[in-house]
């Protein structure tokens, strides 16, 4: 009977360690990038320079959720004329529509406590559609300066931009599929 308090203490400790942790996305280390067809000749690649959001992650069982906001006005193709076109009336029309896209999802398919995919919904141009991202890497460790838990991940997926009412170029032979790649870092909330 003397070991019962010890077992209870160990169980309580393991349950405490298995609790989900809330993280804030680090906008200086998170840049969603994309690639889109240019008439079957090449791919235009770009990124969004501003994003924010939060993650809840339980490292013990690989469960959790993601809520990310993407600032479409921060689109960056590396060519200002292309950036202005994407923000303008022929594409995102940011003067008349929401300048924010969002992704909300949940982790699925844990193997050894690490999820293999993120299943959720992308909201873009006032429309919401299901999107699944494959998780290629997810790792957590203590942040060397902040002394809090710190996680990073790399994920990718794709979506059809016409599903979101963004069919510019289709009549000229542009394919509507967009590849999406997200590298993200997040720090545990204090």
């Amino acid at each position: 009977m003397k070991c019962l308090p010890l077992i209870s203490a160990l169980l309580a400790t393991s349950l405490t360690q298995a609790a989900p942790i809330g993280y804030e996305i680090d906008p200086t280390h998170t840049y969603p990038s994309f690639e889109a067809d240019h008439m079957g000749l090449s791919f235009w690649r770009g990124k969004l320079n501003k994003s924010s959001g939060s993650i809840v992650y339980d490292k013990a069982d690989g469960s959790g959720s993601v809520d990310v906001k993407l600032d479409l006005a921060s689109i960056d193709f590396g060519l200002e004329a292309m950036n202005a076109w994407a923000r303008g009336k022929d594409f995102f029309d940011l003067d008349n529509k929401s300048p924010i896209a969002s992704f909300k999802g949940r982790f699925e398919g844990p193997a050894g406590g690490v999820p293999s995919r993120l299943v959720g919904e992308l909201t873009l141009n006032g429309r919401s559609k299901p999107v699944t991202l494959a998780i290629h890497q997810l790792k957590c460790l203590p942040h060397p300066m902040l002394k809090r838990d710190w996680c990073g991940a790399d994920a990718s997926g794709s979506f059809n931009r016409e599903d979101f009412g963004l069919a510019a170029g289709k009549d000229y032979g542009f394919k509507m599929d967009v590849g999406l790649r997200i590298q993200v870092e997040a720090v545990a909330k204090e």
Side-chain angles (χ1 to χ4, degrees):
M1 286 310 224
K2 288 184 179 185
C3 65
L4 187 57
L6 178 60
I7 292 171
S8 296
L10 288 173
L11 183 59
T13 301
S14 69
L15 289 175
T16 301
Q17 292 173 347
I21 298 173
Y23 298 83
E24 285 294 323
I25 290 174
D26 179 350
T28 64
H29 289 87
T30 302
Y31 296 99
S33 60
F34 55 88
E35 63 179 25
D37 173 69
H38 183 243
M39 300 179 75
L41 297 172
S42 64
F43 285 92
W44 288 341
R45 289 182 174 87
K47 62 180 181 165
L48 296 168
N49 289 325
K50 293 182 183 175
S51 58
S52 62
S54 60
I55 297 170
V56 174
Y57 180 50
D58 187 329
K59 293 186 286 187
D61 66 9
S63 66
S65 61
V66 172
D67 185 355
V68 180
K69 304 283 186 260
L70 309 166
D71 182 349
L72 299 174
S74 74
I75 196 165
D76 185 356
F77 285 96
L79 177 62
E80 186 50 42
M82 180 62 82
N83 300 345
W85 175 84
R87 291 187 300 257
K89 65 178 181 58
D90 294 325
F91 203 69
F92 288 131
D93 194 13
L94 298 183
D95 286 341
N96 297 305
K97 297 182 181 177
S98 175
I100 302 297
S102 67
F103 180 83
K104 293 182 181 185
R106 66 188 181 289
F107 294 117
E108 287 190 355
V114 178
S116 62
R117 65 189 166 275
L118 189 57
V119 178
E121 189 172 75
L122 176 65
T123 299
L124 176 64
N125 200 33
R127 299 181 186 184
S128 297
K129 300 288 179 183
V131 170
T132 297
L133 303 174
I135 298 174
H136 307 290
Q137 175 179 308
L138 191 154
K139 180 179 179 178
C140 299
L141 51 94
H143 193 287
M145 293 175 282
L146 299 175
K147 307 299 182 205
R148 290 182 281 171
D149 203 38
W150 178 37
C151 297
D154 181 68
S156 67
S158 64
F159 63 91
N160 183 311
R161 64 185 173 90
E162 187 176 21
D163 291 344
F164 296 91
L166 300 170
K170 183 176 181 179
D171 294 340
Y172 296 106
F174 287 62
K175 295 174 187 165
M176 296 290 102
D177 290 330
V178 175
L180 181 62
R181 188 96 191 196
I182 299 175
Q183 71 278 358
V184 61
E185 292 185 18
V187 178
K189 296 177 184 178
E190 292 188 76

